[in-house]
Amino acid sequence: MTDKLAFIFPGQGSQQVGMLADYMGEPVVRDTLEEASQILGLDLMALFSRGPAEELNRTENTQPALLAASVALWRLWASKNPEAKLEFLAGHSLGEYSALVCSGSLDFKEAVSLVRKRGLFMQGAVAQGEGAMAAILGLSDDQVIEVCQSAAQGGVVEAVNFNSPGQVVIAGGAGEVKRAAALAGEAGARKAIMLPVSVPSHCALMKPAAEQLKVELEKISIIAPSIPVVQNVSASVVTEPEAIRNNLVAQLYSPVRWVESIELMHKSGVAQFVECGPGKVLAGLNKRIVRRVPVTPLESLSAMDKLLEELSQVSA
């Protein structure tokens, strides 16, 4: 165990009915969810506990719900461990907004409203059924990129999430993605799995959404983070507010460079990661990126308390 920590924040796909159930007795968590609920006109505590799943999984609800969940856990952590020093923060796709809020770079209330609009813009950029995503397992990054180039045939299909060695997600037009998935199989992929999503995130089809997001981002204040944030687009620490703003726009149509981001933090001295949000998707990815580095998902209050106890023993 080490006190050189980085917090990582999950994106879409980590939500589920029942999330944060173990934390609902904590006033900090309830207050954070109520704050977001008032902005959204949506009862997040009820949505988390009872669903329905279809409502939670609507992109314009999922994005602010996950942001609020991650920030709630962060605030609880900070209240229990106000002296904690973190080396880095990073978030996967939507999770980058959580990281920026927790670093003090983005205001929570503004971010809640912003990511709801982000979800609406993304949903509106491509008609239902016209976009798709697929996970390609067992090929190198270069092989996946080559498969996409062969499958595009004038359309759009791109490698968009470099999640872990041997796991790359592709996105684009539905026909092009299916063609690329078939070609990946021929190239030796272990699996090519079509994902149950309605929006082909992080590819060129999201450029209209990015233009709309840019207008909204120009309306809000962004300040330099108090904790270094590694951004998806550059896989590097970005501190200048205008660069952060530009990267958030570009993120909608650019790959998530998650492997490089985790490797950067590890090479910079981080030897313990904490997944701050529902689920443990990022923990699973991290174990394939930096295999011997512990990663603790804050799935339960007992998990958080255990981690706090371990850290207190290290620093004692």
Side-chain angles (χ1 to χ4, degrees), residues 267-288:
K267 289 173 183 175
S268 300
V270 169
Q272 171 81 6
F273 289 93
V274 179
E275 183 168 0
C276 187
K280 50 185 179 181
V281 170
L282 299 183
L285 297 180
N286 269 35
K287 287 173 183 176
R288 295 193 288 273

Side-chain angles (χ1 to χ4, degrees), residues 96 231 233-234 238 242-252:
E96 186 163 286
Q231 287 198 276
V233 168
S234 61
V238 183
E242 200 57 32
I244 291 171
R245 195 187 314 269
N246 291 339
N247 282 346
L248 288 175
V249 174
Q251 188 216 52
L252 270 188

Side-chain angles (χ1 to χ4, degrees), residues 71-89:
V71 172
L73 294 186
W74 167 266
R75 288 177 173 178
L76 180 61
W77 165 273
S79 73
K80 288 173 172 281
N81 191 18
E83 303 303 319
K85 180 181 182 299
L86 298 182
E87 303 295 313
F88 298 99
L89 305 177

Side-chain angles (χ1 to χ4, degrees), residues 158-231:
E158 301 166 9
V160 297
N161 291 357
F162 295 97
N163 284 337
S164 68
Q167 186 194 123
V168 180
V169 173
I170 64 174
E176 292 90 337
V177 169
K178 289 175 184 174
R179 190 158 55 237
L183 288 176
E186 294 172 12
R190 191 169 72 253
K191 284 184 181 178
I193 305 166
M194 299 299 295
L195 302 179
V197 298
S198 58
V199 174
S201 304
H202 303 294
C203 74
L205 297 178
M206 287 293 107
K207 286 190 174 180
E211 289 302 312
Q212 292 175 290
L213 182 66
K214 181 179 180 181
V215 172
E216 297 302 322
L217 275 163
E218 287 171 352
K219 298 176 184 176
I220 69 173
S221 173
I222 298 178
I223 64 174
S226 62
I227 304 167
V229 174
V230 180
Q231 287 198 276

